[in-house]
Amino acid sequence: MSSPPNSVLKGQTALPTDKVQQIGLLDAVNDKYGGVVVDMKEPMDSHIYVPLLRASISQWRQQGKKGVWIKLPIQQANLVEPTVKEGFRYHHAESNYLMLVYWIPDNPDTLPANASHIVGIGAFVMNNKREVLVVKEKHGYFEGKDAWKFPTGVVNQGEDICAAAIREVKEETGIDTEFMEILAFSQTHQQFLGKSDLFFVCMLQPLSFDITKQDSEIKAAQWIPIDEYVNQTYNREHKPFEYVAKICLTKSQSNYGGFSAVHTLTSSGKQPYLYFNGQDFKP
């Protein structure tokens, strides 16, 4: 798509200062990497927006800014095409906004790519009878397959892995649990929407035992002996599932060391979890 001849693009002369002051600028905040972020919260007609955008880019170029991020809420979809015509490209979208980016300098663009991975969990829950909690799904990859599997699910944005495992077990089976360890994880590529997938096998301790299955998603849920789970034909015929089953069986029989979770504190005040091998290290 070609840009209008008077667009303020790479290599072009910046607008004079008095012209910028006359037109005005878009509200923006500096990011941590020498760029700016524009969060368009108020409705605006494109004939007002485009001159402001051009003047702003000119000003940012003079200031030595690098990346420009413009967040357009869905209510301002009318500004998407004018923004693209000024040289911006799509970066990512959520249900209520689109983020567009623009690299000002002539040197190579170093803006980070959109999120590359989806994070999932599988929950290994075993009671004191050496029975594991398993489900059969109504939909998805396992639909129609005669195989028991662990409760699984996707980690939500802003959700910790350990919290996601507890939530998924509760949603699918009604069982309350306590997170214990991460036993293993895998990485696969070209999965949903072309993203890579990180999958964490989590061990949880049951705090309740009466199953209430999620009727919308789960065909069946029950406790079965761990040996029965491990020796399923499906597991034997699919190596990744066989490896996971054998890891869980080993954990149930010996002192296999997984990764425990401990809260930490960053300089910005956030409290992420750190996962570590509790056998070899004590915080």
Side-chain angles (χ1 to χ4, degrees), residues 16 21 33 40 68-69 123 138 162 166 201-202 216 224 261 268:
Q21 293 175 345
Y33 307 99
M40 296 293 296
V68 181
W69 303 75
K138 288 184 176 180
C162 50
I166 293 171
V201 181
C202 302
S216 61
I224 67 172
S268 61

Side-chain angles (χ1 to χ4, degrees), residues 39-41 70-78 80 92-100 157:
D39 190 352
M40 296 293 296
K41 296 181 178 180
I70 293 186
K71 182 179 180 181
L72 293 178
I74 195 169
Q75 295 86 352
Q76 296 191 45
N78 63 303
V80 173
H92 69 272
E94 296 292 345
S95 60
N96 59 347
Y97 75 86
L98 173 66
M99 184 72 78
L100 299 100
Q157 181 174 326

Side-chain angles (χ1 to χ4, degrees), residues 195-209:
K195 300 294 184 180
S196 296
D197 180 90
L198 285 173
F199 185 81
F200 293 84
V201 181
C202 302
M203 180 179 180
L204 296 90
Q205 179 177 315
L207 302 177
S208 63
F209 303 94

Side-chain angles (χ1 to χ4, degrees), residues 179-221:
F179 177 85
M180 302 302 290
E181 295 177 334
I182 291 175
L183 300 182
F185 65 91
S186 66
Q187 182 185 33
T188 52
H189 303 292
Q190 292 299 313
Q191 298 298 301
F192 185 65
L193 297 179
K195 300 294 184 180
S196 296
D197 180 90
L198 285 173
F199 185 81
F200 293 84
V201 181
C202 302
M203 180 179 180
L204 296 90
Q205 179 177 315
L207 302 177
S208 63
F209 303 94
D210 294 331
I211 294 173
T212 304
K213 71 178 180 69
Q214 183 184 31
D215 289 333
S216 61
E217 300 289 336
I218 302 303
K219 179 180 179 181

